[in-house]
């Protein structure tokens, strides 16, 4: 049997190239070697999104993005977190085995505290209990489906470490292996994807290129990529160019080598380089963009796919939750 890979997808806004390269593409490639579980972490998004219409739109956007990029809902599981109530029951059970010190060390919570400190605010300003306790829900997400590996960036390794510690603690207390101990599968490239200004592509920096921009919008966005002021005739260093560093993430090795040579020879303007970037992005996402907009025009299709995924996931979650309830002394679910 293949091992199980689990990927959580938080629905917060329109996905961009950094999301595709850092999460979507590598996670979809795991289908070659793993039985895959993909879920939309909509209750995690509730820590910051409190508008129902916005939440629904974000769920549809992120689901349509993954489906358009190649996620096959017939292979593995693809569901919405909020459709699996057993996850939330498990979250409470795990919270009762989780030291408060874990919560104090969680990166998202610590970052909010430090931001408040720097601003001279009360340390708990705008920090809700969902943000504080989210690691318990994340642990339930991971442990419910017996994930062997969880693909994460280096800065997200802590999430899996928490779930490992809690699973080990729970198993030891119960004297049996109720939960599989997951391993982080580190995605090394998630912190080197350049945005418009050369910094890591991130919504917080407002330097993103959205995945499914129409050609005119895409050209305008690419035109904002920061370059230097070297004249057309001057040789240029591709390795220090934001345009080239994005281009090589989508181009073939032969295309990358040819454009690098054009940089070094001189006689190439930034408009040409940006045009080459647009070509490879259109090639990569043109067909997927049509599928994305078709899905977004028919959100009921997205809902049907997610509901079907929940129908497949619920029996798995229910069976595992009954094991947990048994060792805790609660009996079966009615």
């Amino acid at each position: 049997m293949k091992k199980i890979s689990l990927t959580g997808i938080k629905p917060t806004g329109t996905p961009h190239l950094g999301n595709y390269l850092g999460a979507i593409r590598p996670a979809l490639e795991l289908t070659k070697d793993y039985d895959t579980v993909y879920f939309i972490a909509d209750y995690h998004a509730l820590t910051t999104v409190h508008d129902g219409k916005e939440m629904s739109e974000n769920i549809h956007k992120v689901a349509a993005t993954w489906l358009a990029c190649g996620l096959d809902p017939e292979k593995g599981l693809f569901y919405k977190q909020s459709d699996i109530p057993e996850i939330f029951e498990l979250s409470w059970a795990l919270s009762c085995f989780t030291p408060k010190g874990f919560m104090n060390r969680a990166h998202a919570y610590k970052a909010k505290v430090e931001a408040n400190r720097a601003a001279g605010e009360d340390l708990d300003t705008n920090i809700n209990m969902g943000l504080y306790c989210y690691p318990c829900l994340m642990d339930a997400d991971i442990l419910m489906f017996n994930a062997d590996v969880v693909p994460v960036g280096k800065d997200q390794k802590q999430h899996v470490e928490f779930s490992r510690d809690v699973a080990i603690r729970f198993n030891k207390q119960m004297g049996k292996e109720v939960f599989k101990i997951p391993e982080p599968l580190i995605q090394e490239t998630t912190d080197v994807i350049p945005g418009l200004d050369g910094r890591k592509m991130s919504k917080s920096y407002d330097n993103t290129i959205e995945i499914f921009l129409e050609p005119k919008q895409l050209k305008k966005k690419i035109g904002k990529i920061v370059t230097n002021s070297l004249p057309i005739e001057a040789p240029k260093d591709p390795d220090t160019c934001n345009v080239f560093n994005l281009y090589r993430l989508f181009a073939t090795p032969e295309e990358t080598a040819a454009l690098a040579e054009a940089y070094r020879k001189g006689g190439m303007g930034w408009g040409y380089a940006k045009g080459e970037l647009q070509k490879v992005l259109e090639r990569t996402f043109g067909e997927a963009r049509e599928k994305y907009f078709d899905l977004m025009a028919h959100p009921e299709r997205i809902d049907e796919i997610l509901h079907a995924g929940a129908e497949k996931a619920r029996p798995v979650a229910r069976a595992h939750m009954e094991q947990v309830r048994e060792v805790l002394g609660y009996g079966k679910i009615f």
Side-chain angles (χ1 to χ4, degrees):
M1 292 179 63
K2 289 183 178 180
K3 290 186 176 181
I4 297 171
S5 166
L6 180 139
T7 299
I9 310 159
K10 194 172 179 180
T12 52
T14 305
H16 53 75
L17 296 184
N19 301 137
Y20 176 78
L21 292 165
I24 298 174
R25 187 166 72 180
L28 292 179
E29 288 175 351
L30 293 174
T31 57
K32 301 171 187 174
D33 301 310
Y34 293 89
D35 286 331
T36 49
V37 178
Y38 304 102
F39 71 95
I40 297 178
D42 48 351
Y43 261 90
H44 282 297
L46 190 59
T47 61
T48 55
V49 179
H50 295 161
D51 179 272
K53 183 179 179 182
E54 180 184 356
M55 180 71 79
S56 179
E57 288 176 352
N58 286 347
I59 290 169
H60 286 144
K61 282 180 182 178
V62 75
T65 296
W66 281 71
L67 290 166
C69 288
L71 189 154
D72 185 350
E74 297 301 318
K75 297 178 180 178
L77 298 177
F78 180 47
Y79 59 88
K80 198 169 54 174
Q81 180 191 42
S82 58
D83 287 337
I84 314 295
E86 290 82 3
I87 290 172
F88 306 100
E89 182 180 0
L90 180 58
S91 177
W92 172 253
L94 294 178
S95 74
C96 296
F97 289 79
T98 302
K100 179 175 177 288
F102 277 26
M103 304 295 99
N104 295 338
R105 296 198 301 272
H107 292 327
Y109 170 68
K110 286 176 65 178
K112 286 285 188 181
V113 169
E114 290 308 312
N116 286 337
R117 192 193 312 277
E121 301 278 357
D122 182 271
L123 298 186
D124 291 327
T125 297
N126 294 324
I127 296 177
N128 57 52
M129 287 304 295
L131 175 68
Y132 185 69
C133 296
Y134 87 92
C136 294
L137 181 54
M138 193 167 294
D139 293 343
D141 291 325
I142 295 170
L143 299 179
M144 177 63 83
F145 291 94
N146 287 315
D148 292 284
V149 298
V150 182
V152 291
K154 287 180 285 187
D155 58 343
Q156 298 172 318
K157 185 180 177 182
Q158 186 191 65
H159 300 329
V160 188
E161 291 172 341
F162 276 13
S163 65
R164 286 175 53 82
D165 289 343
V166 171
I168 292 169
R169 184 183 296 269
F170 190 99
N171 290 349
K172 183 177 181 180
Q173 178 69 33
M174 296 302 142
K176 61 188 302 185
E177 188 175 335
V178 180
F179 296 114
K180 187 178 289 185
I181 311 303
E183 295 284 349
L185 187 63
I186 304 299
Q187 305 292 337
E188 297 292 345
T189 61
T190 54
D191 59 348
V192 296
I193 298 158
L196 299 176
D197 56 3
R199 292 182 294 176
K200 178 182 176 180
M201 189 174 289
S202 170
K203 292 185 181 75
S204 61
Y205 295 149
D206 192 26
N207 67 352
T208 61
I209 299 176
E210 290 69 34
I211 296 174
F212 297 123
L213 291 174
E214 297 283 9
K216 288 184 179 179
Q217 296 172 310
L218 179 59
K219 182 177 181 179
K220 185 176 180 180
K221 207 64 177 287
I222 291 174
K224 295 180 179 179
I225 297 176
V226 174
T227 54
N228 58 40
S229 57
L230 286 173
I232 290 177
E233 63 273 12
K236 300 168 181 67
D237 182 0
D239 296 330
T240 61
C241 176
N242 298 327
V243 179
F244 184 82
N245 286 331
L246 259 180
Y247 175 85
R248 64 183 175 186
L249 295 171
F250 295 95
T252 66
E254 294 77 15
E255 291 169 334
T256 301
L259 187 59
E261 183 180 357
Y263 267 75
R264 297 187 178 102
K265 282 176 61 177
M268 183 207 73
W270 296 124
Y272 176 81
K274 291 179 178 181
E276 292 300 295
L277 173 59
Q278 180 159 3
K279 285 180 185 178
V280 295
L281 292 179
E282 285 289 344
R283 183 180 68 201
T284 303
F285 297 111
E287 184 177 339
R289 181 171 59 217
E290 291 183 17
K291 184 174 181 180
Y292 171 82
F293 282 115
D294 183 57
L295 285 166
M296 289 301 292
H298 301 91
E300 70 280 1
R301 294 182 193 168
I302 302 173
D303 293 334
E304 288 173 5
I305 291 169
L306 292 173
H307 291 160
E311 288 294 318
K312 290 167 62 178
R314 281 291 303 277
V316 179
R318 185 185 180 96
H320 200 181
M321 193 63 222
E322 287 193 341
Q323 292 180 333
V324 176
R325 287 173 63 96
E326 182 180 356
V327 299
L328 292 176
Y330 293 118
K332 291 189 175 183
I333 302 170
F334 287 101

